[in-house]
Amino acid sequence: MKKVFFLFCFCSLALMVFAEKKAGKPEKLDFKTGIERVDEFFNLFKGKRIGLITNQTGIDSLGRSSIEILYEKTNLKALFSPEHGIRGNAREGAGISNTVDKKTGLTVYSLYGKTKRPTKEMLQEIDVLCFDIQDVGARFYTYIYTMAYAMEACARDGKTFVVFDRPNPINGINVEGNILEEEFKSFTGYFPIVQRHGMTVGELALMFNKEFKIGCNLKIIPMQGWKREDYFEDLNLMWVPPSPNIPTADTALVYSGFCIFEGVNISVGRGTTMPFKYIGAPYIDAEALAEALNALKLDGVFFRSAYFTPSLSVYKEELCEGVQIIVRNKNKFLPVKAAIAVMYTIREMYPDKFKINNYPAELCGLNLLSGTNKLSSKSLSLDDYFKFIEKDEKKFLKMREKYLMY
């Protein structure tokens, strides 16, 4: 009887494994982030004084922080915090002060306060400056420019810069959007790349260093077992919100397109349970907008009429009508094009109420986020705008080829 029972269990398990493989679920037991390979690359750290730029997302697959790992294995001398702070406890845009890390007693230098760049004084007792932060795959996410500024500081002071690579959570294949134009360069767009770049932070570092001539002594500790088609949820990793309004990995996909709405008088759902999945304003008719957007038949997405009252940010404590963005097929959904199509539609439906914040200032938020003034100036039809970004996508795909590591 026992033999029959064990045989039944074995067969059931085999069928489950077969079904999982047939369903296309990837096996990721061999996947490792860069920080989990520190021992393999220990020659980079042996006998060196180490600094670390990180935040709450710098963890291994067991949830141990990069701070803890490097403090245990290396001569970790100082920490550096980006926007939102080293533990992610500050709101967007809030200045961060220098502090002391409670657990290690190390100084935490702010790179999002009076200065966004490591100073000579910050780096004087460091030989190697490391970076380990989870990016979200969008041009306007500031962590990648904290990395770029730190690389420039290392080039200035002759320090080695090490990137512990992490996955692009919205895959490493899809590339979307126009290339940032030089006149709209800012901390939300420092280099001429597209809106959804499809690269890891390590690959971006390689591009920044060579293509845009930073020229620091750069070392990348690569991931193991990552495939370009992977989304974050395909991996054996814990999602830690990299900022307060990216609570889930799938939020990052929508954010990569719809963050441009931060530049207009529309709520993106900050102060709700659905940031970036809600788009709305008091002047919008939810049912009419949902009907108009679904009539566009955009791939992989459905727009459901929604009603929400933000507890903070734009339209705080005001009832907003709009839509919930429901991604039905993430492989077909094109968030950048979808966001542009939604903006064009709202602008046409509410020409007297839709406003661009601080427009016509050339450096208004919409221009900085979109990396061009073609969206704010209404100089192109929607079809022509799509052709404009498709042309830039081809240019960027060609440029990035030589920096892809996986």
Side-chain angles (χ1 to χ4, degrees):
M1 191 69 183
K2 285 185 177 178
K3 287 184 178 179
V4 174
F5 175 74
F6 285 126
L7 182 61
F8 172 77
C9 291
F10 175 79
C11 291
S12 297
L13 181 60
L15 283 170
M16 287 171 64
V17 170
F18 175 76
E20 185 168 297
K21 285 183 177 179
K22 190 154 184 158
K25 293 183 179 178
E27 294 180 11
K28 289 296 174 186
L29 297 178
D30 64 338
F31 173 79
K32 291 181 180 179
T33 58
I35 193 64
E36 293 174 286
R37 304 186 70 191
V38 64
D39 290 339
E40 298 174 58
F41 294 82
F42 196 72
N43 61 306
L44 295 174
F45 310 103
K46 189 176 181 180
K48 302 292 176 61
R49 300 168 299 172
I50 309 301
L52 174 63
I53 304 169
T54 193
N55 64 6
Q56 72 281 1
T57 67
I59 58 171
D60 66 11
S61 57
L62 299 176
R64 281 212 313 162
S65 76
S66 302
I67 298 172
E68 181 183 347
I69 293 167
L70 291 187
Y71 189 69
E72 175 188 305
K73 295 177 178 289
T74 73
N75 183 19
L76 187 61
K77 300 288 288 184
L79 303 172
F80 298 80
S81 68
E83 184 180 6
H84 303 293
I86 204 155
R87 303 294 180 189
N89 57 345
R91 295 217 66 83
E92 63 281 348
I96 311 293
S97 301
N98 292 348
T99 57
V100 173
D101 181 57
K102 292 179 182 178
K103 193 164 186 178
T104 62
L106 296 173
T107 299
V108 181
Y109 293 109
S110 170
L111 298 180
Y112 199 79
K114 292 180 180 179
T115 179
K116 292 183 173 65
R117 301 172 183 270
T119 64
K120 286 182 177 291
E121 291 72 26
M122 292 177 186
L123 298 182
Q124 64 183 354
E125 294 186 3
I126 289 173
D127 303 306
V128 178
L129 182 57
C130 304
F131 181 91
D132 189 23
I133 294 178
Q134 178 62 57
D135 183 38
V136 300
R139 181 183 60 220
F140 29 64
Y141 214 55
T142 62
Y143 297 153
I144 59 176
Y145 305 119
T146 292
M147 179 177 74
Y149 284 5
M151 290 170 63
E152 290 176 339
C154 286
R156 177 197 68 206
D157 295 343
K159 310 293 182 178
T160 297
F161 192 79
V162 174
V163 176
F164 294 103
D165 209 6
R166 288 189 174 272
N168 185 319
I170 58 176
N171 86 39
I173 294 175
N174 293 80
V175 164
E176 289 186 76
N178 60 289
I179 294 172
L180 176 85
E181 295 165 14
E182 178 67 24
E183 58 265 42
F184 302 110
K185 181 176 180 176
S186 72
F187 194 54
T188 54
Y190 189 53
F191 287 125
I193 63 175
V194 294
Q195 191 168 314
R196 180 186 179 186
H197 50 71
M199 300 175 77
T200 70
V201 286
E203 292 171 338
L204 283 171
L206 290 172
M207 177 184 281
F208 292 172
N209 203 45
K210 187 172 181 181
E211 194 76 25
F212 307 129
K213 299 178 172 56
I214 292 178
C216 72
N217 181 22
L218 174 65
K219 306 293 181 183
I220 311 295
I221 298 184
M223 293 176 284
Q224 175 182 297
W226 186 70
K227 301 292 190 298
R228 303 207 72 84
E229 63 268 23
D230 289 340
Y231 285 82
F232 193 90
E233 49 265 40
D234 298 326
L235 308 169
N236 62 325
L237 277 179
M238 305 173 196
W239 180 260
V240 177
S243 55
N245 286 285
I246 310 289
T248 62
D250 63 346
T251 305
L253 181 60
V254 179
Y255 169 87
S256 69
F258 283 81
C259 184
I260 62 171
F261 280 85
E262 302 261 43
V264 301
N265 65 338
I266 290 178
S267 169
V268 295
R270 289 186 185 272
T272 76
T273 59
M274 303 284 278
F276 295 103
K277 293 182 179 180
Y278 280 155
I279 294 289
Y283 61 81
I284 286 174
D285 181 315
E287 299 289 341
L289 180 60
E291 184 178 347
L293 294 179
N294 287 322
L296 297 176
K297 300 188 183 305
L298 300 173
D299 287 340
V301 64
F302 178 77
F303 299 95
R304 185 188 71 84
S305 57
Y307 305 82
F308 59 95
T309 303
S311 63
L312 52 83
S313 194
V314 179
Y315 300 123
K316 177 181 178 180
E317 306 301 342
E318 291 186 60
L319 176 63
C320 294
E321 294 193 31
V323 293
Q324 178 186 346
I325 301 157
I326 300 173
V327 178
R328 283 181 160 170
N329 186 328
K330 64 188 177 184
N331 292 311
K332 291 185 176 181
F333 176 51
L334 299 175
V336 175
K337 279 189 172 179
I340 293 164
V342 172
M343 188 170 287
Y344 266 72
T345 301
I346 294 175
R347 188 163 60 186
E348 289 169 6
M349 291 178 71
Y350 304 98
D352 297 327
K353 295 182 178 179
F354 175 88
K355 305 293 181 187
I356 298 170
N357 302 337
N358 301 317
Y359 193 72
E362 192 68 2
L363 297 183
C364 66
L366 181 58
N367 288 356
L368 295 178
L369 289 167
S370 63
T372 181
N373 61 3
K374 291 180 175 61
L375 190 56
S376 63
S377 66
K378 299 187 284 188
S379 59
L380 298 175
S381 68
L382 181 59
D383 285 343
D384 286 341
Y385 199 96
F386 283 175
K387 290 175 185 176
F388 158 63
I389 64 175
E390 286 165 4
K391 186 177 179 181
D392 274 8
E393 287 164 3
K394 290 177 182 177
K395 287 181 187 175
F396 184 74
L397 281 167
K398 187 175 181 180
M399 181 176 73
R400 77 169 195 156
E401 277 180 7
K402 52 186 173 290
Y403 304 110
L404 301 184
M405 299 168 57
Y406 308 93

